[in-house]
Amino acid sequence: YELEVFAPAKKISFDPQLVIKDAAGEVVADVEGGVGSNAKASVDAKAGTYTITVKPGDGYMVKGGFSYELEIRSLNAAPAAAPVAAAEGEEAPAAPSAEAAAADGAPYSAEQLAERVDYLNELCPDTYCEGEFDFKFTKLSCDAKDSCELSFTAQKYDNHKKFTSAVAVKGFDKLVLADADDFKWEGSFDEKVSNALLDWEVKPVNGAPKAKAAKAPAKAAPAKKSASAKIAAPKAAPKAKTVAKAKSPQPKAAPAPARAAPAAPAVKRSNKNLAD
């Protein structure tokens, strides 16, 4: 068999060490891949029980542990599967696609959803679980190809408060990438999960996300009054103020003429006075 540990490319890279022991505890293989590289070992294993250990070769461990993938391949040539005989003139039946295998018209099969949940839990220590919460994803259900609900339990690191909740994950390109697809973070299912969890962390609550209530229909505009409606009577014109007639002024009597000054008395001068 050939065993290989794949270390994902991260900001803090993993140095994988692969140790294989048989039932007696003897080391069958012990290889180290180096920081950010893969560890691969080939063993000629006889029937029995073996213990496989994957650990950091340099002894450095991050909080929550490293994520990795382990592949075990048989190097024995397996017999080719016998092709299904088709009747003359008929094409051999094609293998059902993953989408066609989904039951009851669901967009994804139960196997696809379970594998995606397992992958999220493997990815969490280096991604979603590096914040304030330790997440454990439990269930994924989808009602459309780009709309799912992700259930999980979460425990806050500082006060150990626990939550059981779910978030809506929408608008992603693909739930599962094909082997030939190049991974892109923008628009991926992983990115949408990250955005949904970040929003949940702002206000963590228990329970599934509440559906947004539909907006109430706009009120109809009030109907215009018909022409036969009563017309308000115009206000009565204000009464004219009665102007009091001014009394014509009585002519004042002309003032009496001033009395004439008395005439100066005639001075009789005597001859003596005239002589003086």
Side-chain angles (χ1 to χ4, degrees), residues 119-138:
Y119 179 73
L120 289 175
N121 285 318
E122 291 179 6
L123 194 65
C124 195
D126 295 335
T127 52
Y128 316 120
C129 297
E130 289 185 333
E132 299 180 4
F133 291 86
D134 182 21
F135 293 99
K136 175 65 177 178
F137 304 108
T138 56

Side-chain angles (χ1 to χ4, degrees), residues 156-245:
K156 201 167 185 182
Y157 289 121
D158 55 0
N159 58 12
H160 305 291
K161 188 175 181 180
K162 296 182 179 180
F163 298 86
T164 300
S165 190
V167 292
V169 184
K170 298 182 178 182
F172 51 89
D173 295 332
K174 293 182 180 180
L175 178 69
V176 182
L177 296 176
D179 294 338
D181 291 339
D182 292 330
F183 177 75
K184 292 182 180 179
W185 175 253
E186 294 78 10
S188 67
F189 178 78
D190 297 335
E191 183 202 23
K192 301 305 180 182
V193 169
S194 177
N195 294 341
L197 293 176
L198 287 174
D199 291 340
W200 180 88
E201 287 183 11
V202 173
K203 190 176 181 180
V205 293
N206 285 298
K210 294 181 180 180
K212 292 183 179 180
K215 292 183 178 179
K219 292 183 179 179
K224 294 182 179 179
K225 292 183 179 180
S226 62
S228 61
K230 293 182 179 180
I231 300 175
K235 292 182 179 180
K239 294 181 179 179
K241 293 182 179 179
T242 303
V243 180
K245 293 182 179 180

